[in-house]
Amino acid sequence: VALFTLLTGAGLTNLKIDTSFNTLIPSDEPERLVYQRVMNQFGSDNKTIVYVKDAALWSREKLSHLDDLVRGLKLIPAVNRVDSVFNLRTIEGSRDESGGEPVINTRPVLDGIPRNEMESEQARARAIGNPLYLGNLFSKDGSVTAIIITVEDKEDRENFSVEIYGELEAVLSKHEGHFERLFQVGPPRINAELRESLTDDFKLLGPLSALVLVASIMFFMRNSLAAAIPVLTSGLAIIWTFGMMGWTGVPLNILSAMIPSLIIVIGSTEDTHMISAFFRGLVGNGSSRRERQQVAIDYMAKHTGLPMVLTIVTTALGFGSNLFGDILLIYHFAIASTLAIIFNGIVTVLVVPPLLEQFGKPGKGENGDNHLGNTLPDKIIKTFRISQDKFPIYTLLFTFVLCGFFTYQASNLYVTNDPLSYFPDDRPLIQETKQIHEDLAGIKVFFVALESEKDKAFLEPENLRKLSQIQDFMAKQGVFDSTISVADHLKYVNAEFHGGLASSSLPPTRQLVSQYLLFFHRSELETYVSHDYRSANIVVRHNLGDSHTLNKYVSELKDAVAQISGQDIQTMVVGENLLVNHAAEKLMISQVKALSLLLLLIFVIMSIMFTSFRGGAIAMIPSIIPIVLMFGIMGFLGIPLNPVSYTHLTLPTNRE
């Protein structure tokens, strides 16, 4: 044991932490390649938003600090692009007094730092007067602006998210005192805080579980050896598990943080049963201390051997059944947790008997139960037996009604896979995400891409109207914060040419479309239309976190997009957050497959052990009832099924 502990312990230095969103997306997801193709064409949908708020934002002093901030962000090597008030342009139309042809002027929102209050107010008016920026980059009152940062991991660094978050935060911290509010929200921060939460949970849950375990055993058994042994075996199993994960390259993820608690709580049951049987066999047997201990060891092996082996096997099968999940996050957890249960069983078999033989003391008196101090547990069990002995029919009837009620409540169960759902609502990250949603638009982005085989198809007004109709449909859905396409750019120019009455209309001819597009730099359009105008893109921002709700609206949107676009145009609704949320639907399918196989295996094992199919069926009842109750309670309380709860639903099947 010591040798294997040293060998596996050496692997702890190789243990990696993985909190990336890719682990939440099934490896066989067919839309992954489509998503990558759209991202290569229109740019990444993973952007960090720097939120800046100040009542005097447009003053010379604040804009100077904002300029320094933007320059500092651009100096970060991994930053590929920074969109801010300093590289935005606006288009303004005017007519001379004779009512001749309109004159169109295009100019930066900010042409250098304003020299006086009048220039500041004019810049503010230009910014919030541009419909392309309002609600996306500026709040309605102009007191909030957003800096949109696009980063690129050219070297494919393992800790890229954490490193870039730290670099961005270092720049922001230098300017934090110059504004009322300044913070960043984006994938790097979410990944970094997931990693931080994982580390904090890892440090807290293991020791806390051990403390609760020791206190419980001391309270019930009142024996220091009985309390120390589970801690020792659990500690060894934890080293073996995480060391082997380091050697095999299985990363530590947001689910693996609970493995120490699982080992301590689940693994301690075998230890306590063995210890309890040892002390029962120790009392009143043999003459010498050595003989009494040997008799107690034999008694322990006889009375706990088969149940312990079955418990280890079925528990390992329970966690191993999660290998059927298509989500890499769950797959890695399944490997780690299965190893943990097997290792804990091996450690228990190898370590507990010699420890008891060396340090187990003879009991005082002839009654082993009194020696163990089991009076309180006995009273608890006797209390439960009152209903079994006196009202068995009513007990079964009550259980049946309870299962029926919670089976009905399980119909309310829904699935979610949103990374932000792992954080509590009072966490600053969640509160600041909501703040951006309220003042600007949600931080979550996806694309609605349309592609035609015809060259310069999206210079045609007919196809541009299709983009507008899709955006109108999304507006009617009422759940997305903002949508922007090349059609919005053309409407903006058209309104400046012809006045407010034309604010919602597109130019009627292809020639006008081509002319209007000349008012924009290519960098302003590359996110919305391809260079050959065969493809167009609608950028959608939202704040929906519930996968069930988002998937429903996205499904409606896909149908509408296909219908509006027609057969000649290929449509794609893609985004990393859509891939993550779409994976939630596979959670339920994977859960049904895993539970079905697990129940079948346990039924076979129990039937073989009892040499009776009836015995196997009866043994399954205590396993099925908790599953029904867990699903029902989750549906009743509105607790969603996510990867964390998914991995726990197999637990009731393997402890009975």
Side-chain angles (χ1 to χ4, degrees), residues 542-607:
H542 68 95
N543 197 51
L544 289 174
D546 175 18
S547 299
H548 176 72
T549 303
L550 178 60
N551 289 338
K552 180 181 70 173
Y553 285 109
V554 169
S555 178
E556 293 177 358
L557 176 60
K558 287 182 177 180
D559 293 338
V561 170
Q563 183 178 358
I564 294 171
S565 301
Q567 297 180 352
D568 296 335
I569 295 179
Q570 181 184 359
T571 62
M572 295 155 286
V573 181
V574 295
E576 186 176 60
N577 71 90
L578 295 190
L579 291 175
V580 170
N581 282 277
H582 183 259
E585 296 179 354
K586 295 189 175 182
L587 277 176
M588 188 64 75
I589 298 174
S590 298
Q591 181 65 67
V592 172
K593 288 167 56 178
L595 284 177
S596 299
L597 179 60
L598 180 59
L599 290 171
L600 177 62
L601 288 174
I602 294 179
F603 170 74
V604 172
I605 292 173
M606 294 299 180
S607 298

Side-chain angles (χ1 to χ4, degrees), residues 52-73:
V52 185
K53 181 176 183 178
D54 200 291
L57 180 64
W58 295 92
S59 66
R60 177 179 176 82
E61 178 188 359
K62 298 297 181 182
L63 289 175
S64 297
H65 290 306
L66 189 63
D67 186 36
D68 292 339
L69 171 60
V70 171
R71 293 176 186 275
L73 294 172

Side-chain angles (χ1 to χ4, degrees), residues 101-381:
E101 290 295 325
V103 177
I104 299 297
N105 296 314
T106 176
R107 58 177 299 180
V109 171
L110 271 178
D111 190 7
I113 303 299
R115 291 169 295 182
N116 50 54
E117 186 177 343
M118 179 181 295
E119 289 186 1
S120 296
E121 184 58 33
Q122 289 174 347
R124 174 184 171 278
R126 286 194 295 270
I128 64 176
N130 190 326
L132 301 176
Y133 304 149
L134 188 63
N136 286 285
L137 292 170
F138 302 103
S139 62
K140 293 181 180 180
D141 61 359
S143 64
V144 175
T145 187
I147 303 171
I148 310 296
I149 301 173
T150 305
V151 296
E152 185 178 359
D153 184 12
K154 297 180 180 179
E155 301 175 1
D156 195 23
R157 286 178 285 172
E158 180 182 335
N159 298 320
F160 174 75
S161 291
V162 177
E163 292 175 6
I164 191 63
Y165 167 69
E167 292 174 358
L168 292 172
E169 198 64 23
V171 175
L172 296 183
S173 62
K174 296 178 182 179
H175 301 272
E176 199 170 14
H178 299 142
F179 304 98
E180 293 177 9
R181 294 205 68 184
L182 177 66
F183 58 81
Q184 60 162 313
V185 177
R189 179 180 178 181
I190 296 173
N191 276 326
E193 295 210 15
L194 278 173
R195 193 185 187 102
E196 180 185 350
S197 296
L198 187 153
T199 305
D200 293 342
D201 290 346
F202 195 79
K203 293 178 181 178
L204 172 66
L205 296 179
L208 182 62
S209 300
L211 180 62
V212 172
L213 174 66
V214 169
S216 301
I217 293 177
M218 288 297 296
F219 178 76
F220 286 110
M221 302 186 71
R222 297 178 187 172
N223 186 287
S224 57
L225 180 64
I229 286 179
V231 176
L232 176 62
T233 58
S234 298
L236 290 172
I238 290 171
I239 294 174
W240 287 17
T241 300
F242 288 108
M244 189 61 70
M245 289 171 63
W247 284 122
T248 57
V250 177
L252 185 69
N253 58 36
I254 53 180
L255 298 183
S256 304
M258 68 182 95
I259 285 181
S261 298
L262 290 174
I263 293 177
I264 292 171
V265 175
I266 296 177
S268 66
T269 57
E270 291 89 355
D271 298 338
T272 52
H273 281 304
M274 291 175 68
I275 295 169
S276 179
F278 173 82
F279 283 126
R280 285 198 302 271
L282 190 64
V283 176
N285 292 299
S287 55
S288 67
R289 179 175 180 269
R290 177 64 62 182
E291 289 177 352
R292 295 175 68 182
Q293 287 176 328
Q294 189 58 53
V295 170
I297 293 291
D298 294 340
Y299 179 89
M300 177 186 68
K302 179 180 178 181
H303 287 81
T304 65
L306 180 60
M308 187 185 70
V309 171
L310 283 174
T311 300
I312 295 171
V313 170
T314 55
T315 305
L317 286 174
F319 284 105
S321 65
N322 292 310
L323 289 168
F324 288 93
D326 296 323
I327 298 177
L328 192 60
L329 178 81
I330 296 177
Y331 181 78
H332 284 157
F333 172 77
I335 295 175
S337 57
T338 303
L339 280 175
I341 297 302
I342 294 174
F343 283 158
N344 185 260
I346 294 173
V347 169
T348 299
V349 171
L350 294 179
V351 171
V352 174
L355 282 176
L356 291 173
E357 186 176 4
Q358 290 296 321
F359 303 106
K361 296 181 180 180
K364 298 179 181 180
E366 296 299 318
N367 189 336
D369 285 344
N370 289 337
H371 166 73
L372 293 172
N374 281 335
T375 305
L376 180 58
D378 285 345
K379 289 181 178 180
I380 294 174
I381 296 300

Side-chain angles (χ1 to χ4, degrees), residues 405-426:
F405 171 76
F406 282 114
T407 299
Y408 170 76
Q409 292 297 327
S411 62
N412 299 322
L413 187 65
Y414 64 98
V415 187
T416 189
N417 199 28
D418 181 22
L420 289 176
S421 66
Y422 295 104
F423 299 105
D425 289 339
D426 58 351

Side-chain angles (χ1 to χ4, degrees), residues 40 101 385 594:
N40 291 337
E101 290 295 325
R385 291 198 60 177

Side-chain angles (χ1 to χ4, degrees), residues 472-544:
D472 291 340
F473 177 82
M474 283 189 278
K476 291 179 181 178
Q477 285 183 296
V479 294
F480 303 118
D481 293 340
S482 72
T483 64
I484 299 181
S485 72
V486 67
D488 294 302
H489 290 71
L490 292 169
K491 288 179 182 179
Y492 172 44
V493 180
N494 201 42
E496 293 300 323
F497 256 108
H498 301 289
L501 295 176
S503 61
S504 60
S505 61
L506 289 162
T509 65
R510 176 171 174 168
Q511 289 74 16
L512 277 178
V513 170
S514 299
Q515 292 176 20
Y516 286 178
L517 290 175
L518 294 175
F519 288 100
F520 300 98
H521 290 164
R522 180 58 203 163
S523 61
E524 296 176 274
L525 297 175
E526 61 185 9
T527 304
Y528 306 103
V529 66
S530 62
H531 66 280
D532 57 4
Y533 295 98
R534 289 179 53 192
S535 302
N537 183 41
I538 303 172
V539 178
V540 185
R541 286 177 61 179
H542 68 95
N543 197 51
L544 289 174

